[in-house]
Amino acid sequence: MNFRKFSLMSILVSAFIFSLPQSAEAAKKKGGKGAFAGGSLSLGFGVGIVTADQSGLNGMIRDAKAANGASTSDFNSGYEFSGQLTFRFSNNLVAIQLRPSYIMQSASGSASDGSYDYKLTGFTLFPLVRIIPLSNDIIDFYLQAGLGYGKLDGDITNGPRNAKFSGSSFGMQVGVGADFCLVPDHCFGVEGNYRYLPIVRNIVSSASASTVYGASQAATDRELENLNGSDIATSLTGISGALSYTYNF
């Protein structure tokens, strides 16, 4: 009788010890680390492609083609590089994230008097709330949304003509994604987002004596305006797709 009790106890203890590493790893991935009242922190980065319709600058490109036969094509997709600092609450359902990103978009060409290049670089800063309706040891599926800020700097070169400008605005972002964690500390993800962030007013910071094609006004500290006298807008509005890596502390 004592032997049977000892054997049963040995089996239970062995099963408990065997399960400890798996439970600890699962808890670590799911936010059971104990930081900030049971939540967990993670740090990551992402690389993506973003669509943003630069209709105002595309109009200037077409004007340059008509005036001087420039070969520049319209703006296409741009590149976005983001950092991600995430705090996940211990309920494993809600997380908050701070996401800064750097964006590049350009269109290049030439004409008889030199290069005809249009470049945009900028950044966004978005706090996001993330809801995680599906989570297990391998995958986290999430929905996210937030309000944030964006700024774009522009540089136009039309041969000897040049103008530099910048604009900023506030907007919103929503998206869906999934993280795949083959080991608890390291996750690889894929996500898609829609961002609404138009920049309707751009201020010129420097310009050549001769105005760039397609602009009626490009004076320093004044709005960049098209041939009709309307402000030339830029945009960070569009759909983005990204791949990401995340390290869970």
Side-chain angles (χ1 to χ4, degrees), residues 5-35:
K5 289 182 178 180
F6 177 80
S7 299
L8 180 58
M9 183 173 293
S10 298
I11 293 172
L12 292 174
V13 171
S14 299
F16 175 75
I17 293 174
F18 179 78
S19 67
L20 276 178
Q22 294 179 333
S23 299
E25 289 180 355
K28 190 172 184 179
K29 172 184 175 298
K30 293 181 179 180
K33 193 64 177 174

Side-chain angles (χ1 to χ4, degrees), residues 60-61 64 72 75 105-107 116-120 155-156 158:
M60 297 182 71
I61 290 173
T72 311
F75 276 82
Q105 193 176 12
S106 63
Y116 276 58
D117 299 332
Y118 301 75
K119 299 177 182 178
L120 291 173
D155 188 340
I156 299 174
N158 292 165

Side-chain angles (χ1 to χ4, degrees), residues 80-160:
E80 184 168 8
F81 306 90
S82 64
Q84 301 157 16
L85 177 63
T86 307
F87 173 72
R88 183 165 176 170
F89 293 94
S90 58
N91 61 12
N92 296 318
L93 180 63
V94 180
I96 54 175
Q97 182 180 95
L98 182 63
R99 177 180 295 196
S101 71
Y102 177 76
I103 296 171
M104 302 184 301
Q105 193 176 12
S106 63
S108 299
S110 62
S112 58
D113 56 350
S115 299
Y116 276 58
D117 299 332
Y118 301 75
K119 299 177 182 178
L120 291 173
T121 58
F123 71 90
T124 67
L125 182 63
F126 273 83
L128 299 172
V129 176
R130 180 175 288 186
I131 305 299
I132 310 164
L134 174 63
S135 177
N136 55 42
D137 292 348
I138 301 298
I139 185 173
D140 287 339
F141 174 77
Y142 57 84
L143 311 172
Q144 61 188 13
L147 303 175
Y149 172 82
K151 182 178 184 293
L152 274 179
D153 296 316
D155 188 340
I156 299 174
T157 299
N158 292 165

Side-chain angles (χ1 to χ4, degrees), residues 30-222:
K30 293 181 179 180
K33 193 64 177 174
F36 295 96
S40 67
L41 285 170
S42 63
L43 186 65
F45 64 87
V47 179
I49 296 176
V50 59
T51 64
D53 182 14
Q54 308 298 345
S55 57
L57 295 179
N58 287 339
M60 297 182 71
I61 290 173
R62 289 190 288 270
D63 289 335
K65 286 182 178 181
N68 208 26
S71 63
T72 311
S73 59
D74 287 356
F75 276 82
N76 292 314
S77 300
Y79 298 97
E80 184 168 8
F81 306 90
S82 64
Q84 301 157 16
L85 177 63
T86 307
F87 173 72
R88 183 165 176 170
F89 293 94
S90 58
N91 61 12
N92 296 318
L93 180 63
V94 180
I96 54 175
Q97 182 180 95
L98 182 63
R99 177 180 295 196
S101 71
Y102 177 76
I103 296 171
M104 302 184 301
Q105 193 176 12
S106 63
S108 299
S110 62
S112 58
D113 56 350
S115 299
Y116 276 58
D117 299 332
Y118 301 75
K119 299 177 182 178
L120 291 173
T121 58
F123 71 90
T124 67
L125 182 63
F126 273 83
L128 299 172
V129 176
R130 180 175 288 186
I131 305 299
I132 310 164
L134 174 63
S135 177
N136 55 42
D137 292 348
I138 301 298
I139 185 173
D140 287 339
F141 174 77
Y142 57 84
L143 311 172
Q144 61 188 13
L147 303 175
Y149 172 82
K151 182 178 184 293
L152 274 179
D153 296 316
D155 188 340
I156 299 174
T157 299
N158 292 165
R161 305 164 185 248
N162 179 264
K164 296 183 179 180
F165 56 91
S166 64
S168 61
S169 186
F170 291 90
M172 54 82 67
Q173 179 172 304
V174 296
V176 297
D179 283 334
F180 301 90
C181 308
L182 300 181
V183 292
D185 290 346
H186 306 279
C187 303
F188 295 90
V190 59
E191 68 175 39
N193 292 284
Y194 172 74
R195 178 170 53 225
Y196 178 76
L197 207 163
I199 300 173
V200 299
R201 186 169 176 262
N202 288 278
I203 304 300
V204 177
S205 57
S206 66
S208 59
S210 299
T211 305
V212 293
Y213 291 110
S216 63
Q217 176 177 277
T220 303
D221 297 327
R222 300 288 298 276

